[in-house]
Amino acid sequence: MADPQRPDLDPASVPTWEEVAHTHGRFLYSLAYRLTGNHQDTQDLVQEVLLRVRRGLLTYQPGNLEGWLSRITTNTFLDRVRKQKRRPTQALPDDPDRVIAGVPSLEEQMAASDLPDHLQQLLADLAPDFRVPVILKDVLGYSYEEIAQQLDVPIGTVRSRIHRGRGRLKAALTT
Amino acid sequence: MTASDFLPEEDWESDISALLGGLPNVAPPDGFITEALDHRPLHAGRLVAGLGAAVFVAFGVAIGLGGFGQSSVVPELSALNAQHAAASAGGLGTASYDSDDESADDAVEVAPNLDLQARIVREEDLRQAVYDVGGDQVSIFSQPGVVDFDELPSGTIITIEGVTAWEAADDNVVVLQTADYAVTIIGLEPAEVERAIADIPGQGTAAAVGRLVNEFTSQLGFPDLP
């Protein structure tokens, strides 16, 4: 799958820490930003991820480097969420089919010039358990199976969380 | 792709997916990656400075004070965890648990210029410093001897800045071997420990450690280096 947010990778070799940072730093930063929603937390997260990467490279087996980096990033993010007990997430409406009359359609929303920022804010308002799989699926394009492996949860749980996460986003966009 | 990826999604789900898929890349600020590689703290500010100081003290004391022999040590993690929990529950600056060492309360103020609070409790050879770092409480225990890593519970042996360490599988517990001391750090994620150590200026040089130890030992209640 060609995706501009996913860098080209050489699965046959083990890169150095510096190579990972320079080659995949943009990927890590972009993913971290989608997870955290702000640059300060993103930079803290990426720093921590890079340290874990450096340690992990000692035992890394050549393979899906991108998936490995993504797993480290999401796990580090979730660890930080659990540890820091960040600001309470704002509960969004739980009914994905609820549409209020007279509000812009999704197509109209898509055309809005400030949609990326707005969408990012809505992502940030999602509970992390929904936010992470939605980002992995819809922003990065991973399969349900890959996400289940990364997050170490059943695939049914992944599907459910993504469905509910999307539903909350839809409800928020149409209110 | 798996079979479950081909299960039909409702139209609105495809719309949301398309919206998210269209989000642009977010580039890091110029120089950020290079700075991150250099371990320079960016925004962590008090946290990194505090952790650096805390671990610096632990390293300095551990490395600077020798002479306890090389007996094998297996930190009693459950007991240390309980001691950490007891200290954390009581908060800093209050008598939260008993210690026969009356001098412990005299050693509370450690490195006040670094915005840290700490309590040192000495029970026989075991020393505990409890730090309040950004609202989180962190205990650093030191005890003389050589860590028997083989006897520690399931975990991972790692190397942090040339120092052998063990990290717990689930809890935020790191055990380090420094010179003649076993150092157990409870309350920090291993990556934070690593970052703190990496941020220590001059760490690894005996002279720098010696200067640091001499700077702090009077407040810690430990003897100065010879």
Side-chain angles (χ1 to χ4, degrees), chain A residues 2 30 122 153 159 167-168:
Chain A
S30 194
L122 295 180
V153 297
R159 289 186 61 86
R168 294 184 183 200

Side-chain angles (χ1 to χ4, degrees), chain B residues 158-170:
Chain B
I158 58 177
T159 300
I160 302 176
E161 299 295 311
V163 175
T164 300
W166 169 95
E167 67 175 59
D170 300 318

Side-chain angles (χ1 to χ4, degrees), chain A residues 19-39:
Chain A
E19 287 171 342
V20 171
H22 286 298
T23 305
H24 304 288
R26 186 183 178 92
F27 168 76
L28 292 174
Y29 194 93
S30 194
L31 172 56
Y33 182 81
R34 293 304 171 209
L35 291 168
T36 65
N38 68 80
H39 286 283

Side-chain angles (χ1 to χ4, degrees), chain A residues 137-161:
Chain A
K137 176 65 177 169
D138 291 337
V139 177
L140 296 185
Y142 286 113
S143 70
Y144 289 111
E145 186 175 36
E146 289 172 321
I147 296 169
Q149 290 173 348
Q150 285 198 26
L151 301 180
D152 196 24
V153 297
I155 194 168
T157 302
V158 170
R159 289 186 61 86
S160 171
R161 289 179 181 175

